[in-house]
Amino acid sequence: MAVALLLLLVVGCHYFFSSQVRRGIVYGDQPRNRLDLYFPKSSDGPKPVVAFITGGAWIIGYKAWGSLLGQQLSERDIIVACIDYRNFPQGTIKDMVKDASQGISFVCNNISEYGGDPDRIYLMGQSAGAHIAACTLLEQAIKETGEGESTTWSVSQIRAYFGLSGGYNLFDLVDHFHSRGLYRSIFLSIMDGEESLRQYSPEVLVQDPNTRHAVSLLPPIILFHGTADYSIPADASKNFANTLQRVGVRAESILYEGKTHTDLFLQV
């Protein structure tokens, strides 16, 4: 407990007082349309960039939850953009995906002004954020293959997607979440009703023949999961990676024996 409190204190001090953190950059017109940027100490040359969508069970997500990741990756000469988004009940999944897309668009179109390399942008999400990020990426690919769709960023601008401890097939997770306290009625409200589960289940959607062209646009996808994760079972990442491989996407799942839902996030 003492170690955890010390870590929280150190990360909190870095978040609020470090000159390497720029908090609350506006990317849209909604109340939660803000992002934080974490900068390396060195300012020489354009830096690779990670756009990160935090977790929080679609209810308590907040950009500051990415402060430890931001600090760790910035120490490795990477700029990190932690993107905030509306939570339930302020918004439902369609609003979360819309916010994430706007945040990613801001990063793709503006990160060069902050010293980032627009040709080396990576997308990452953790837990619910991994689900939101995957939905956003696939929705963007579908938009790009549609006629008359206006877009402000492109899937081709994302070098790779990294999903940490995410769930990608909602049909497989409804009962699991219910048993763990995220009750079915609440979860379905978050996901815009049972009729929307397919639309927000990337694993299901990529198997639809109508999305074949969109799926071909997806970047390499790497999914990480702990085998002792009881919040979202590791099979969620394993099954999604296998499905992606079957439809021609470069994808893999990496499982960590004995690691829990938050272990991977804390040791990135």
Side-chain angles (χ1 to χ4, degrees):
M1 178 65 74
V3 174
L5 289 174
L6 180 60
L7 177 63
L8 183 63
L9 181 62
V10 170
V11 172
C13 285
H14 182 81
Y15 180 71
F16 286 108
F17 302 112
S18 174
S19 61
Q20 292 172 245
V21 182
R22 185 165 173 183
R23 294 179 285 115
I25 296 172
V26 177
Y27 70 77
D29 59 5
Q30 295 296 322
R32 296 289 294 271
N33 286 177
R34 307 287 186 273
L35 60 82
D36 298 330
L37 289 178
Y38 295 79
F39 298 98
K41 287 183 179 179
S42 165
S43 59
D44 58 318
K47 308 293 185 184
V49 180
V50 169
F52 180 63
I53 313 294
T54 63
W58 302 275
I59 297 172
I60 58 169
Y62 183 52
K63 56 188 173 65
W65 301 165
S67 55
L68 178 59
L69 179 84
Q71 182 177 346
Q72 291 178 324
L73 292 185
S74 64
E75 290 173 356
R76 301 175 190 178
D77 216 32
I78 298 168
I79 293 176
V80 179
C82 289
I83 299 169
D84 210 359
Y85 54 90
R86 283 170 284 178
N87 284 203
F88 183 82
Q90 188 179 29
T92 60
I93 186 63
K94 67 176 181 295
D95 302 307
M96 300 175 203
V97 170
K98 180 180 179 182
D99 290 351
S101 184
Q102 281 189 274
I104 296 166
S105 175
F106 180 92
V107 172
C108 289
N109 292 304
N110 297 280
I111 202 62
S112 60
E113 298 174 17
Y114 297 92
D117 187 346
D119 294 323
R120 289 188 292 166
I121 298 174
Y122 300 84
L123 179 61
M124 179 184 292
Q126 189 264 342
S127 189
H131 168 253
I132 293 167
C135 287
T136 304
L137 195 62
L138 185 53
E139 179 180 277
Q140 182 66 23
I142 291 171
K143 283 182 179 179
E144 290 179 30
T145 58
E147 294 183 7
E149 288 275 7
S150 65
T151 58
T152 58
W153 64 282
S154 172
V155 170
S156 64
Q157 292 175 274
I158 306 299
R159 292 286 294 270
Y161 169 63
F162 304 106
L164 307 179
S165 310
Y168 311 98
N169 187 335
L170 301 183
F171 294 100
D172 291 344
L173 293 171
V174 176
D175 291 337
H176 174 77
F177 287 149
H178 183 83
S179 70
R180 295 188 60 81
L182 181 52
Y183 298 121
R184 183 182 181 90
S185 60
I186 297 173
F187 183 69
L188 291 179
S189 294
I190 294 170
M191 297 301 156
D192 287 319
E194 193 161 3
E195 65 276 6
S196 294
L197 292 184
R198 180 183 174 280
Q199 180 182 352
Y200 296 109
S201 293
E203 182 186 325
V204 176
L205 209 52
V206 298
Q207 299 178 71
D208 186 335
N210 293 323
T211 67
R212 188 168 300 163
H213 186 193
V215 167
S216 71
L217 301 180
L218 294 174
I221 292 176
I222 305 172
L223 307 175
F224 304 89
H225 223 116
T227 60
D229 187 337
Y230 300 110
S231 297
I232 300 178
D235 278 350
S237 289
K238 184 178 178 181
N239 292 342
F240 187 34
N242 289 340
T243 299
L244 287 167
Q245 290 168 5
R246 286 199 302 271
V247 296
V249 179
R250 289 175 55 194
E252 65 175 310
S253 61
I254 299 175
L255 304 183
Y256 292 85
E257 192 66 34
K259 298 299 182 181
T260 67
H261 190 64
T262 54
D263 283 345
L264 301 187
F265 185 53
L266 293 174
Q267 69 181 34
V268 167

